[in-house]
Amino acid sequence: MNTQAKFDKLVAANTDPEAKSAGDHQASPDPVAYGRDLWERSVLFMDTLRERADNMIAHDRAGMPPLLDFKYETLLDARQFDQPANYALLRITEIDGNCWDDCVDEAKPPVIVVDPRAGHGPGIGGFKRDSEVGMAMAEGHPVYFVIFFPEPIAGQKLDDVLFALRRFVEEVSARHDGAAPVLYGNCQAGWAVTILAAHCEGLAGPVVLNGSPLSYWAGEEGVNPMRVTGGLLGGSWLAHLIADLGDGRFDGVWLAQNFESLKPEKAIWEKYANLLTNIDTERERFLDFERWWNGFYALSREEILEITQDLFIGNLLENGELHIGDHCIADLRKIKNPMIVFASYGDNITPPAQALGWIPAVYKDTADLKSAGQRIVYMTNAHVGHLGIFVSASVARLEHRAILESLERIGKLKPGLYEMKIDNPSGDPDCHAPDYKVRFEPRDVADLRHDVPTEAFEKVARLSEKNEAFYSAFVSPWVRLMTSPASAEMLKSMHPMRTSRLMFSERFNPWMRLVRQTAESISKTREPLERNDPMLARERAAIDAVGDAIERARIARDARFERTFRTLFGAGDDETDSENNAHMPS
């Protein structure tokens, strides 16, 4: 098939279905009208990027408050604790104009939503009405929200964070006559509340883990290359270097950049191409999300080293070897709280293997899980992406509502492993029981076992320890000596994730004032082309072709990473041992 034929095939595939309805005929191509429309869309596109940059600056000047779409009050500020951390506990006081007394049923258990501290700021669990916070309030639960501030306390460690979270849980429980709150942990916050539940003192409330990695070495070869990155970079020393250059702070923008590099065809192409194509309808949605995505928060040097060394590279949590302070080791077998795990096969950041693989690593079989008296319920989505687990309105209205409405039933299940299934005959995500039905189907622990090249990742952990020891002893002191608050601030402001946004602000680029004025004029007389215009179909075909090319390049890149990892550490040879995957924690 020649190039023109391929292009024509793409055009046909991307033509809007409305253009193919019976009796309709496609209009003849009008290059002049298309040229006018493309120019107008381009100006409006640039103006949207200008507004994004201005929002980013305004948010930073305001102190980067949480982007919650609900009124709230601050109950506890952990920065004032004897063991301080940059966290705070909020109480959601109003939803849709209704105050606490109008929408809260005190007989229902309180819900604490903890957002991920993985580069971005808090708010993803409640930055719009159809969200985890919104669904919990709509179901009558008292809702509390855990936020964090842009700057960590100097020398802050995971122990300090866990101490703050425990104080928050105790405060909420005391406000509700000792009722055990439901802990809702998103992504990174999921493993944080899991460690809290696995602490020697324990907690009693149900734990809901949304897209939360607990089995860091698990994943599918060729699909989840992020898990091999630590080995290719030589371990945690690079995170240590970045924190040293940041004057003891690890800039969260580096984590955001890693997320975007996972699927560049979506993060740096499709997102912007979709905005350009649908500028008349996508502008506000784009800006709402970007307010959160471009708010970069820092971690302390100590925190990022504990996270990378002990969790992602060392996998100590799954192995039952994670020390909490000087007196306790987090043992996942100690958790007696009912656990609900929500994962998605469309999630390339926390695939189901990482969200669920810890279960067969902790419990050797189903009988062992039952004898431990534990109830674990898991639910999977077929296609939603990582962020969609937290921000998708349809997921909030169906899956998260179903979880909340099923908490009492889950608490009454016999010990064991169950898969939660939702039967929704209407297909309407915005429905309530009994319009949909929830089933809990018993499963075997063996069903969740994945082959993991354990010996290869153990080699990575040992390499990381050696490189970290060398860097700490011989390089870090010199880097710290040459680093100052001024140099750290300069590196922060020069990061490409910031400059690529701020370059569209009028404060940094005076020419954007002309773009804004032109966009205001265009908006008054704008008449967009019909969706079935043949020139727009060709545009969409070209956009898809570029996206496909970027995707192929990314797949080839990931394949190289996997091959290099196998060559260096022997993954995929004879070391994959199912017994290693089912070992008991010490």
Side-chain angles (χ1 to χ4, degrees):
M1 185 180 292
N2 59 35
T3 303
Q4 183 61 43
K6 290 181 181 179
F7 188 79
D8 290 341
K9 184 177 180 181
L10 280 169
V11 171
N14 284 275
T15 301
D16 197 292
E18 294 177 2
K20 301 177 181 179
S21 59
D24 287 347
H25 298 282
Q26 283 187 270
S28 300
D30 187 345
V32 174
Y34 171 75
R36 173 192 58 79
D37 182 78
L38 178 60
W39 177 77
E40 290 180 349
R41 285 188 287 118
S42 298
V43 174
L44 296 174
F45 173 83
M46 295 285 288
D47 189 59
T48 303
L49 299 186
R50 176 200 61 78
E51 187 171 351
R52 178 181 69 172
D54 290 343
N55 290 343
M56 187 174 173
I57 294 172
H59 188 217
D60 184 69
R61 288 183 169 181
M64 302 179 76
L67 296 173
L68 288 170
D69 192 32
F70 306 89
K71 291 185 179 180
Y72 59 86
E73 64 174 341
T74 302
L75 299 180
L76 293 175
D77 187 338
R79 294 176 297 182
Q80 310 304 320
F81 291 174
D82 293 337
Q83 189 175 343
N86 66 330
Y87 279 70
L89 175 66
L90 311 180
R91 181 175 75 107
I92 306 299
T93 59
E94 186 176 311
I95 174 175
D96 292 343
N98 297 319
C99 66
W100 179 278
D101 295 334
D102 298 326
C103 55
V104 167
D105 181 356
E106 291 289 352
K108 292 188 175 183
V111 173
I112 303 177
V113 178
V114 188
D115 252 7
R117 186 155 163 255
H120 301 97
I124 196 65
F127 86 115
K128 60 183 179 179
R129 169 61 181 79
D130 291 327
S131 61
E132 295 165 348
V133 170
M135 285 302 103
M137 288 287 281
E139 293 300 314
H141 292 269
V143 179
Y144 299 82
F145 197 86
V146 174
I147 68 165
F148 41 90
F149 299 97
E151 294 296 329
I153 302 297
Q156 178 173 301
K157 295 183 178 181
L158 292 184
D159 291 352
D160 304 316
V161 174
L162 295 176
F163 175 80
L165 293 178
R166 174 170 292 281
R167 283 282 304 273
F168 295 163
V169 172
E170 292 170 347
E171 172 69 18
V172 171
S173 179
R175 285 173 169 264
H176 296 274
D177 298 324
V182 180
L183 299 180
Y184 236 81
N186 295 327
C187 187
Q188 172 270 346
W191 56 253
V193 299
T194 300
I195 296 174
L196 189 63
H199 190 273
C200 292
E201 298 177 15
L203 291 170
V207 175
V208 182
L209 307 178
N210 300 304
S212 302
L214 298 184
S215 185
Y216 302 97
W217 293 350
E220 184 179 347
E221 184 174 345
V223 179
N224 308 122
M226 190 176 184
R227 63 189 182 132
V228 307
T229 305
L232 299 180
L233 295 177
S236 62
W237 72 273
L238 186 57
H240 195 165
L241 171 63
I242 293 174
D244 284 344
L245 293 173
D247 198 30
R249 300 162 54 262
F250 183 90
D251 192 351
V253 72
W254 293 97
L255 298 176
Q257 185 181 55
N258 286 342
F259 294 145
E260 290 201 345
S261 67
L262 281 177
K263 284 194 174 182
E265 68 272 20
K266 295 186 178 296
I268 67 174
W269 178 252
E270 291 181 17
K271 179 171 73 171
Y272 296 102
N274 181 63
L275 176 64
L276 175 64
T277 301
N278 305 289
I279 191 65
D280 300 291
T281 58
E282 285 293 300
R283 180 186 179 106
E284 292 307 317
R285 187 204 62 79
F286 176 86
L287 290 173
D288 284 344
F289 178 76
E290 291 292 298
R291 284 186 179 92
W292 174 78
W293 184 254
N294 294 297
F296 307 120
Y297 282 52
L299 292 89
S300 73
R301 173 170 42 224
E302 291 75 9
E303 283 180 298
I304 193 63
L305 286 178
E306 287 179 314
I307 292 170
T308 54
Q309 289 176 332
D310 296 344
L311 296 175
F312 287 95
I313 295 176
N315 199 35
L316 299 186
L317 178 59
E318 180 185 78
N319 293 340
E321 301 171 352
L322 181 67
H323 286 264
I324 304 176
D326 299 325
H327 66 286
C328 181
I329 296 178
D331 185 350
L332 298 182
R333 290 181 64 87
K334 293 179 180 178
I335 301 177
K336 303 303 179 184
N337 323 34
M339 301 188 72
I340 302 96
V341 183
F342 184 19
S344 173
Y345 289 99
D347 184 352
N348 66 322
I349 294 177
T350 305
Q354 292 189 1
L356 298 168
W358 62 275
I359 298 174
V362 173
Y363 304 98
K364 61 183 179 181
D365 53 33
T366 307
D368 187 30
L369 173 61
K370 291 179 178 179
S371 66
Q374 178 57 293
R375 303 166 186 84
I376 300 178
V377 174
Y378 70 92
M379 177 175 58
T380 59
N381 187 291
H383 56 79
V384 70
H386 183 70
L387 292 177
I389 294 176
F390 323 127
V391 304
S392 170
S394 61
V395 170
R397 293 196 300 265
L398 184 62
E399 280 93 339
H400 288 300
R401 175 182 281 146
I403 290 173
L404 292 166
E405 291 184 342
S406 302
L407 287 174
E408 186 175 354
R409 289 180 60 193
I410 292 173
K412 295 179 179 179
L413 291 172
K414 295 180 179 179
L417 177 67
Y418 301 88
E419 182 174 6
M420 179 174 171
K421 295 282 192 177
I422 303 175
D423 297 325
N424 183 19
S426 69
D428 179 13
D430 194 13
C431 62
H432 293 261
D435 294 333
Y436 68 83
K437 295 185 182 298
V438 173
R439 294 178 286 114
F440 297 100
E441 299 182 355
R443 294 287 183 263
D444 290 329
V445 167
D447 295 340
L448 302 180
R449 184 165 288 122
H450 296 83
D451 288 336
V452 177
T454 303
E455 291 186 11
F457 285 106
E458 289 174 346
K459 293 177 184 177
V460 171
R462 292 193 293 270
L463 173 66
S464 178
E465 291 176 0
K466 294 177 181 178
N467 287 344
E468 170 60 25
F470 179 86
Y471 175 83
S472 297
F474 299 106
V475 181
S476 179
W478 292 101
V479 175
R480 297 190 194 189
L481 184 64
M482 295 184 292
T483 298
S484 68
S487 67
E489 190 63 27
M490 181 184 67
L491 288 176
K492 173 183 172 181
S493 63
M494 292 178 61
H495 193 282
M497 286 282 286
R498 289 191 175 89
T499 57
S500 63
R501 272 72 170 168
L502 297 177
M503 64 183 290
F504 293 100
S505 170
E506 288 184 45
R507 292 185 54 82
F508 292 86
N509 186 351
W511 286 102
M512 294 306 297
R513 185 176 296 109
L514 177 60
V515 171
R516 174 175 55 80
Q517 294 170 348
T518 306
E520 291 172 353
S521 177
I522 289 174
S523 298
K524 297 176 182 178
T525 59
R526 168 94 172 129
E527 293 184 6
L529 289 179
E530 296 293 332
R531 285 282 300 169
N532 62 353
D533 186 273
M535 297 294 288
L536 284 179
R538 289 179 177 268
E539 177 187 286
R540 290 192 292 269
I543 288 172
D544 287 350
V546 174
D548 290 342
I550 298 174
E551 182 180 15
R552 289 193 298 271
R554 189 261 305 167
I555 292 174
R557 177 202 68 184
D558 294 347
R560 288 196 301 272
F561 286 173
E562 296 276 5
R563 288 195 300 269
T564 303
F565 186 83
R566 287 198 303 270
T567 301
L568 293 175
F569 302 103
D573 296 332
D574 297 327
E575 72 276 53
T576 300
D577 186 346
S578 59
E579 293 183 0
N580 287 336
N581 300 325
H583 66 279
M584 298 292 293
S586 57

